[in-house]
Amino acid sequence: MNKNVIFNVNKEILASIAEQAADEYADSSLVLAPFSGNASIYAPAKKGKYKGYHRIKVEIWIPEDAIKGEGTLSDFGAFAVLRIPKSRIQDHLVSE
């Protein structure tokens, strides 16, 4: 499980990540797609695989006529940007 979460991300960092993704995969296009349907939100589990992690499960829907070919799902890469009130984030993770 990837545990890399970056708090207090600014627009320059997002621009840099987008630029790196665009440069690294020059044959790809960045797509902005909203989360669709209902999100499932889970409090941290006390034991097991998801112990100690808040979980948010979402879906992103892309119209079938927007994608060409078969098996293209293996070509997708994605990350989420969340808005969380600073008052809800542990103090040591928030910088001004």
Side-chain angles (χ1 to χ4, degrees), residues 14-67:
L14 290 176
S16 175
I17 291 170
E19 185 177 346
Q20 287 175 6
D23 290 347
E24 186 173 339
Y25 300 99
D27 63 338
S28 298
S29 178
L30 298 178
V31 176
L32 182 61
F35 296 146
S36 303
N38 296 324
S40 299
I41 301 172
Y42 302 91
K46 301 295 182 201
K47 59 184 176 179
K49 182 178 178 180
Y50 302 111
K51 178 182 179 183
Y53 287 91
H54 292 271
R55 292 185 297 141
I56 303 171
K57 291 186 175 185
V58 297
E59 292 182 354
I60 299 172
W61 297 352
I62 299 173
E64 67 179 334
D65 60 354
I67 305 296

Side-chain angles (χ1 to χ4, degrees), residues 7-10 82-96:
F7 286 85
N8 206 41
V9 177
N10 60 40
L82 305 172
R83 184 204 51 79
I84 301 173
K86 288 182 181 180
S87 63
R88 298 293 308 271
I89 299 172
Q90 294 291 344
D91 292 340
H92 71 281
L93 297 172
V94 178
S95 61
E96 296 302 324

